[in-house]
Amino acid sequence: MGKTSIETLGLVRRLLALLAVVTFFAQITQHFGWILYLEIFSHFQVQYLLVAFLLLLSLVWLRCHRSICVGLLLFAILFFPLLTWYIPPELTGASAPTVEIRILSANVYRQNRQYDKVLDLVRSQSPDIAVFIDINEIWQQQLDTLGDLLPYSYGQSGSHLGLLVYSKRPLANVNIELFGTEDNVSVVAQIPNEDGPITFVATHPVPPLSSDIFRSRNQQIDLIGEYINSAPTKRRIAVGDLNITMWSPYYRRLVSKAGLHNTRKGFGILPTWPTHHPKIPALLAPFVRIPIDHCLVSEGFWVVNATTGSDIGSDHKPLTVDLAISNR
């Protein structure tokens, strides 16, 4: 082995050791609610897998057999938990169930001015319920033009991180909840249904930009979980930009407490943020994208489809979910 190959092997081994340490923290922080800067390690499972794969290919090319075993183990630790998100949902028979509720969730980013992209998306998707996040009064004026398609609206646009819900049918028992914050609104309601009303929560926990806001986000997520858990209805749905991925311990606590599961299960990771960001180079953005926009449902639903939409000018991709009622 030449000098260059030895130096390259040394670099790959050091990178592999570094990735092993990061992966260790990523696995630990999925289960323990530590401080913000450690929880961040949990969010980038897909990126760790990609790096592990590239390092493994390098070790194979360099024919370093002992290190290849370590690389394979690290790759397997990262690969198999991610694979479960791509295993198709169980079938209900010869044909897929009929879609009864289509939900669209879009963080439009209030400084975004590409209104037509959002309006065209809504008209093409024709959702039964649409949740719009990070809304101001100008955005509300634009969205109100959808009144022929979604005549009923609820929420607030003037508050911090405004949130609006538009619906084809009137919702029942609609309230604005703050979940421990001063002005970060969530909309809670019931969707009328012949098999019994469905508890519906549209929310946007604050982005964890500091330690204090991190604690506020976690408190808000806990209170949302408690609210959903105490809901008197059999079926429950929570939708929105949760500013958290499926690998965070706070996400795990939410779905466990509220008895929910993620509708993207079986349809892939479906990363939604960032599509682009002023502090992230455009070429790099797709490689750091993570899934923080969610639709969570209880038992009593079939998830027929879950998909992300195209660029709407926001830093988030929209999420569309098709649901059917089941008797599970």
Side-chain angles (χ1 to χ4, degrees):
M1 184 179 290
K3 180 179 178 181
T4 301
S5 296
I6 293 175
E7 291 176 348
T8 302
L9 177 59
L11 174 61
V12 172
R13 282 176 168 172
R14 288 192 292 272
L15 290 174
L16 186 65
L18 176 61
L19 180 61
V21 172
V22 171
T23 300
F24 171 77
F25 275 108
Q27 298 300 314
I28 291 296
T29 54
Q30 288 186 54
H31 301 281
F32 298 97
W34 291 351
I35 61 173
L36 165 66
Y37 305 106
L38 288 179
E39 190 218 16
I40 285 176
F41 280 100
S42 71
H43 298 321
F44 299 95
Q45 301 293 319
V46 175
Q47 287 79 3
Y48 301 148
L49 178 64
L50 177 61
V51 174
F53 178 70
L54 294 176
L55 290 176
L56 182 59
L57 287 182
S58 300
L59 291 169
V60 171
W61 178 65
L62 293 167
R63 299 179 183 178
C64 182
H65 300 293
R66 287 182 296 179
S67 296
I68 286 174
C69 293
V70 176
L72 279 171
L73 176 61
L74 190 58
F75 180 82
I77 290 172
L78 293 164
F79 175 75
F80 287 106
L82 294 178
L83 178 63
T84 62
W85 291 96
Y86 292 88
I87 298 175
E90 58 183 307
L91 300 177
T92 59
S95 60
T98 301
V99 175
E100 298 177 66
I101 305 173
R102 170 168 286 183
I103 298 173
L104 169 68
S105 176
N107 183 324
V108 300
Y109 183 49
R110 63 177 55 204
Q111 296 182 31
N112 176 19
R113 294 294 179 264
Q114 298 184 47
Y115 308 114
D116 288 344
K117 285 188 175 182
V118 176
L119 299 179
D120 290 345
L121 172 72
V122 176
R123 293 195 177 279
S124 66
Q125 293 285 325
S126 188
D128 297 284
I129 298 176
V131 178
F132 299 103
I133 297 163
D134 199 6
I135 293 294
N136 56 20
E137 291 85 352
I138 299 174
W139 264 105
Q140 181 171 9
Q141 293 171 10
Q142 294 292 323
L143 294 171
D144 283 346
T145 64
L146 297 168
D148 59 316
L149 180 66
L150 300 167
Y152 303 97
S153 63
Y154 313 90
Q156 291 182 10
S157 60
S159 60
H160 176 58
L161 301 177
L163 185 149
L164 291 171
V165 175
Y166 287 76
S167 177
K168 283 185 177 179
R169 298 178 294 168
L171 303 180
N173 301 322
V174 181
N175 285 297
I176 299 295
E177 294 286 346
L178 298 179
F179 292 119
T181 66
E182 294 183 357
D183 63 352
N184 186 21
V185 302
S186 297
V187 174
V188 301
Q190 289 184 349
I191 303 172
N193 180 65
E194 61 182 16
D195 292 326
I198 301 166
T199 295
F200 180 81
V201 178
T203 190
H204 183 203
V206 289
L209 301 177
S210 70
S211 295
D212 288 340
I213 301 177
F214 174 70
R215 286 190 292 269
S216 178
R217 183 208 65 179
N218 299 337
Q219 179 189 30
Q220 191 173 2
I221 288 173
D222 282 341
L223 291 173
I224 291 167
E226 291 174 7
Y227 177 89
I228 295 173
N229 182 58
S230 64
T233 62
K234 174 184 176 182
R235 296 178 177 87
R236 305 157 192 186
I237 301 173
V239 180
D241 171 10
L242 301 187
N243 277 306
I244 205 166
T245 68
M246 301 88 77
W247 306 292
S248 164
Y250 305 104
Y251 168 89
R252 290 170 178 260
R253 194 159 70 191
L254 168 65
V255 296
S256 176
K257 179 182 296 185
L260 302 174
H261 62 273
N262 203 309
T263 54
R264 57 172 34 92
K265 190 80 170 180
F267 298 97
I269 299 299
L270 301 180
T272 57
W273 178 90
T275 55
H276 43 75
H277 194 278
K279 295 183 179 180
I280 300 176
L283 291 177
L284 181 61
F287 298 100
V288 297
R289 197 168 295 159
I290 55 178
I292 64 174
D293 299 87
H294 303 278
C295 178
L296 310 175
V297 298
S298 66
E299 295 298 319
F301 295 98
W302 294 112
V303 183
V304 181
N305 194 30
T307 184
T308 54
S310 58
D311 182 14
I312 56 172
S314 171
D315 56 343
H316 288 248
K317 279 190 170 185
L319 178 69
T320 302
V321 174
D322 292 331
L323 301 174
I325 303 298
S326 80
N327 293 319
R328 292 183 298 175

